[in-house]
């Protein structure tokens, strides 16, 4: 699921020529497109979408970056910085935190001191919700954007009113009116008592892609790989799926904003 586990498993998958599909890893993956594929949004893809939204749509020019020190947070943060600079924005600073941190005073004070117009936050809801609360208390006018892991009910629940106006990328919208999405969301709610997040949707699509290939290729690993690599517009709950030469999904990145605890579409 994660960057660290997918990166560690990729060489073993290549050695035995078995397809590996990850629904959550965003980093550059060894053997990507050869035997490794993903249904998750790559770091560069999601970071570019948010950078364009902040710089071109919101006219933000000074952005501070705060990220989790793990592989996921680091890769997305670096990708965002590269994209934002290419669009003419200034990165005022980069600060990191570790899993389990609770006090983000120095991160927030730095953002305020630097007169950053926006904060880009790459991490998971656990720490991000606390950081968002502290950032809002220190600077009401600060634009806050985040990575795709924050596209979760946990973010809006744990951050409360402070999460309003948080901008994040998404690879899945549960209220999409397509029958395949409605059926998936209904069954997921019945099973788990909540709406599926994008990681659930990406995992679901990953299994469906594998099942599609296995039904056609049987136990022939090479044929399974070739079928997945050449998929075109496969009907998934995250949209029509195809994979590029690096095993990354070719699909839109949806930009959302939290309003009243609910993620609403603001662009693509």
């Amino acid at each position: 699921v994660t960057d660290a586990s997918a990166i560690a498993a990729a060489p073993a998958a290549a050695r035995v020529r078995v397809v590996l599909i990850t629904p959550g890893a965003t980093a550059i993956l060894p053997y990507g497109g050869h035997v490794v594929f993903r249904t998750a949004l790559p770091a560069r893809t999601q970071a570019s979408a948010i950078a364009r939204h902040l710089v071109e749509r919101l006219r933000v020019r000074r952005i501070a970056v705060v990220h989790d020190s793990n592989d996921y947070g680091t890769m997305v943060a670096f990708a965002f910085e590269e994209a934002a600079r290419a669009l003419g924005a200034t990165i005022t600073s980069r600060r990191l935190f570790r899993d389990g941190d609770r006090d983000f005073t120095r991160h927030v004070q730095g953002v305020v001191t630097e007169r950053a117009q926006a904060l880009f936050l790459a991490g998971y809801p656990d720490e991000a919700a606390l950081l968002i609360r502290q950032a809002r208390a220190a600077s009401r006018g600060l634009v806050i954007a985040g990575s795709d892991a924050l596209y979760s009910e946990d973010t809006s629940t744990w951050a409360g009113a402070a999460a309003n106006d948080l901008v994040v990328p998404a690879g899945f919208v549960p209220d999409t009116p397509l029958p395949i999405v409605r059926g998936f969301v209904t069954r997921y709610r019945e099973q788990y008592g909540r709406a599926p997040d994008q990681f659930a949707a990406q995992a679901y699509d990953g299994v469906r892609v594998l099942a599609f290939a296995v039904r056609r290729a049987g136990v022939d690993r090479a044929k399974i790989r070739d079928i997945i690599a050449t998929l075109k517009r496969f009907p998934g709950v995250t949209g029509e799926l195809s994979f590029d030469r690096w095993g990354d999904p070719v699909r839109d990145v949806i930009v959302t904003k939290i309003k009243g605890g609910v993620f609403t579409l603001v662009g693509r």
Side-chain angles (χ1 to χ4, degrees):
V1 174
T2 65
D3 290 276
S5 57
I7 290 169
R15 238 180 354 258
V16 296
R17 298 188 179 93
V18 64
V19 164
L20 183 156
I21 297 184
T22 170
T26 62
I28 296 172
L29 298 173
Y31 306 99
H34 176 51
V35 295
V36 178
F37 301 86
R38 75 174 111 216
T39 51
L41 295 173
R44 287 185 178 179
T45 303
Q46 59 170 288
S48 294
I50 291 299
R52 286 195 305 273
H53 183 81
L54 292 179
V55 177
E56 297 179 350
R57 185 163 179 174
L58 301 185
R59 303 299 179 186
V60 168
R61 290 293 179 270
R62 294 176 57 80
I63 308 171
V65 174
V66 176
H67 68 91
D68 196 317
S69 60
N70 61 23
D71 290 331
Y72 167 75
T74 301
M75 289 299 299
V76 178
F78 284 3
F80 174 82
E81 289 183 22
E82 181 181 359
R85 286 194 177 105
L87 293 168
T90 297
I91 302 300
T92 61
S93 65
R94 182 201 312 137
R95 295 179 176 84
L96 57 83
F97 59 86
R98 303 185 188 282
D99 294 340
D101 282 357
R102 312 290 292 177
D103 182 4
F104 301 97
T105 302
R106 69 177 182 86
H107 302 79
V108 173
Q109 287 179 344
V111 173
V112 173
T113 301
E114 296 156 5
R115 301 193 307 279
Q117 298 169 286
L119 164 65
F120 178 75
L121 172 57
Y124 295 112
D126 315 56
E127 295 82 20
L130 293 171
L131 201 157
I132 290 168
R133 282 178 177 271
Q134 293 174 35
R136 290 286 188 224
S139 178
R140 291 289 179 182
L142 184 69
V143 175
I144 303 180
S147 57
D148 68 334
L150 303 187
Y151 182 68
S152 164
E153 287 184 3
D154 291 338
T155 304
S156 57
T157 299
W158 298 342
N164 279 327
D165 296 324
L166 172 69
V167 177
V168 295
F172 170 69
V173 177
D175 58 2
T176 300
L178 294 174
I180 187 174
V181 178
R182 287 161 56 188
F184 167 62
V185 171
T186 297
R187 293 192 301 274
Y188 191 96
R189 282 188 181 277
E190 290 171 352
Q191 182 71 30
Y192 301 107
R194 61 182 293 175
D197 62 16
Q198 69 179 3
F199 296 106
Q202 289 163 181
Y204 183 72
D205 276 351
V207 173
R208 292 183 67 249
V209 163
L210 280 173
F212 174 84
V214 169
R215 280 197 298 268
R216 283 152 182 78
V219 296
D220 188 315
R221 294 178 181 179
K223 288 183 179 177
I224 290 172
R225 181 267 166 200
D226 290 345
I227 289 171
I228 293 173
T230 56
L231 277 180
K232 298 298 179 187
R233 302 182 67 181
F234 180 84
V237 297
T238 60
E240 293 184 333
L241 273 172
S242 303
F243 296 100
D244 65 18
R245 59 185 294 189
W246 297 281
D248 292 335
V250 180
R251 56 188 176 90
D252 290 337
V253 180
I254 301 161
V255 179
T256 68
K257 179 187 287 189
I258 296 180
K259 284 291 186 184
V262 177
F263 288 94
T264 59
L265 177 66
V266 294
R268 289 180 182 267

